[in-house]
Amino acid sequence: MLEWCLPGDMNLEGVEFKAMASGSHRVSSDFIYFRKGGYFGLACFANMAVDSVVERGARMKSVGILSTSYTLLYRYMSFLEHQVRLQLKTPGQYSPLEAFFEDKRSVLPPDGESVVTACPGSAWGAALNHCMHPEMKITHPAGCMSQFIQFFGEQIMVLWKLALLRRRILIFSPPPVGVVCYRVYCCCCLANVSIPGVGVAVPEFRPFFYVNVADIDTLDTELSYVACTTEKIFEEKRDLYDVYVDNQNVRTTRESLKPLLRLSAADREKYRKLTEQRQMLLYSQEENGDCVSSEEDHFILFFLEQNNRIFQTLSEVAGRPEPILTQESVRAMGLDPHGDRLFLLHLLETYGYDSLLVTEHPCCS
């Protein structure tokens, strides 16, 4: 059963399948981020055993809200968790939800179409202030980047390249799915670029968060996205994705992308620097009680600066009389002239730097 805080005339068709992930009956509680038309949603789910034949021994509820921005949904996590527990114990007690609706009803525009955008370039900026909001460490996607990188290890560099290339990335995991929704958010952060004009002509890297079979038609039309699912059937729908992530296993059936799954020397060096800087940051926090800098700031800015470095170099080379990418210019981007050659060619094609020439043997002096 679902309880919702949103305008009464909004079309809710199919929302119940988004707010209760397939397989949720196996867990006692969960939360889930998702898309509904032009809105983002957050729902909290709870499952309680009951002595009732009618309810087949279990009572399951999900309480959710919709917003135009997923970066604000974390603020209502504790409210939703409390309300779903209340609905389990005393079903039909809607007074707090009605009061919430009356308080927030003017927030949502009457029509949510065309309000969804890709991961905003300013999203990382909001995350940089999260030291003021300790609850983000637990409840907000911006508070999970360090756990995300620890989970994938060096594979984070593979995901970084695929995200920057705006590929369709689908992450599979059995329930609970909340932490997997966070991984969707983190993948989006890997592709942030703050240089004006970069990426305007390429497909948006759109976060879908949780998806199920009801989203197949929608995903079939998407050129670039990152999403997660608990439904194993998606693995067989190879036309819907470019990259399939199962646990820490990143794989693809696209022959042109398979070489990108191998780490280059530059990838390993970047990951080494990332972990080294993290250790220094943790030491500073422990010794000095530093709350100005955080792991989230560090990780998000690390990839933002790396991406800006790449596109700044590409722009400089494109402005030369002879726009040729040499070994030196590739290294200036922080890439491996040999191991990242294919990635670079994909990047030039994706972002429209077709006028640039790559030397035949960039690994050679």
Side-chain angles (χ1 to χ4, degrees):
M1 181 176 179
L2 297 164
E3 315 297 344
W4 288 92
C5 297
L6 72 172
D9 59 349
M10 183 175 290
N11 179 17
L12 292 179
E13 183 180 358
V15 174
E16 65 272 19
F17 300 111
K18 304 279 285 182
M20 286 187 178
S22 177
S24 289
H25 62 279
R26 302 189 188 97
V27 299
S28 60
S29 63
D30 197 6
F31 62 93
I32 186 169
Y33 283 81
F34 59 92
R35 278 261 314 270
K36 168 61 180 174
Y39 297 103
F40 291 97
L42 169 63
C44 287
F45 167 84
N47 182 358
M48 180 178 73
V50 294
D51 186 14
S52 171
V53 176
V54 175
E55 296 178 278
R56 299 181 181 180
R59 181 177 298 158
M60 291 175 279
K61 299 280 186 176
S62 186
V63 179
I65 60 173
L66 295 179
S67 171
T68 57
S69 170
Y70 59 85
T71 62
L72 302 178
L73 289 172
Y74 77 92
R75 298 179 180 179
Y76 308 108
M77 178 78 81
S78 59
F79 171 77
L80 296 176
E81 289 176 333
H82 175 73
Q83 288 303 310
V84 75
R85 288 193 295 268
L86 181 63
Q87 289 300 317
L88 282 178
K89 296 177 181 178
T90 56
Q93 297 297 317
Y94 301 133
S95 297
L97 292 175
E98 291 171 349
F100 181 91
F101 168 71
E102 290 300 328
D103 183 52
K104 306 295 182 184
R105 64 186 306 171
S106 64
V107 174
L108 290 178
D111 183 2
E113 294 303 317
S114 302
V115 299
V116 172
T117 62
C119 295
S122 60
W124 63 271
L128 299 184
N129 297 320
H130 81 276
C131 188
M132 300 169 58
H133 306 283
E135 69 275 13
M136 285 186 181
K137 290 284 189 180
I138 301 172
T139 62
H140 187 229
C144 65
M145 184 65 76
S146 59
Q147 293 89 338
F148 171 70
I149 295 181
Q150 288 175 17
F151 179 78
F152 283 107
E154 287 185 334
Q155 289 295 303
I156 192 68
M157 306 313 301
V158 173
L159 292 173
W160 161 65
K161 290 179 179 178
L162 295 168
L164 201 59
L165 292 176
R166 308 293 178 93
R167 299 310 185 198
R168 299 173 299 168
I169 302 174
L170 183 61
I171 305 172
F172 167 80
S173 177
V177 76
V179 68
V180 193
C181 290
Y182 286 174
R183 291 171 192 162
V184 170
Y185 170 84
C186 292
C187 276
C188 278
C189 291
L190 297 177
N192 280 336
V193 179
S194 63
I195 298 177
V198 172
V200 173
V202 301
E204 292 180 326
F205 193 49
R206 297 157 65 89
F208 271 77
F209 294 102
Y210 177 74
V211 295
N212 56 29
V213 293
D215 297 297
I216 288 178
D217 289 343
T218 300
L219 294 181
D220 192 43
T221 64
E222 292 295 324
L223 299 177
S224 176
Y225 72 83
V226 56
C228 63
T229 187
T230 59
E231 300 185 7
K232 197 69 173 177
I233 187 65
F234 272 96
E235 186 174 7
E236 302 174 11
K237 307 289 184 181
R238 297 179 178 179
D239 291 339
L240 297 179
Y241 60 84
D242 299 316
V243 180
Y244 189 81
V245 183
D246 187 346
N247 198 25
Q248 287 133 319
N249 184 17
V250 182
R251 61 180 185 267
T252 180
T253 58
R254 306 278 186 265
E255 292 298 327
S256 62
L257 296 180
K258 286 182 178 180
L260 300 184
L261 304 186
R262 295 192 294 268
L263 292 169
S264 68
D267 291 333
R268 290 191 167 90
E269 177 61 17
K270 279 192 283 287
Y271 184 75
R272 185 193 65 78
K273 289 181 179 179
L274 188 63
T275 53
E276 185 179 83
Q277 292 174 15
R278 174 178 176 269
Q279 291 301 320
M280 293 176 62
L281 177 62
L282 293 177
Y283 177 79
S284 175
Q285 290 175 333
E286 183 177 348
E287 291 295 312
N288 306 320
D290 179 18
C291 191
V292 176
S293 302
S294 73
E295 287 186 79
E296 311 310 327
D297 303 351
H298 169 65
F299 287 132
I300 293 173
L301 287 175
F302 182 90
F303 288 103
L304 177 72
E305 291 172 354
Q306 174 61 50
N307 298 341
N308 285 349
R309 181 180 177 185
I310 289 175
F311 290 107
Q312 183 64 44
T313 303
L314 288 177
S315 297
E316 292 174 358
V317 173
R320 297 172 184 171
E322 295 184 2
I324 300 176
L325 282 170
T326 63
Q327 176 183 4
E328 290 73 23
S329 53
V330 173
R331 284 179 174 162
M333 289 186 276
L335 301 178
D336 182 339
H338 176 68
D340 287 327
R341 179 179 171 81
L342 183 59
F343 166 65
L344 182 57
L345 293 175
H346 277 293
L347 197 70
L348 297 180
E349 180 182 3
T350 299
Y351 287 85
Y353 289 93
D354 298 334
S355 61
L356 298 186
L357 301 176
V358 183
T359 56
E360 280 299 314
H361 302 287
C363 59
C364 305
S365 56

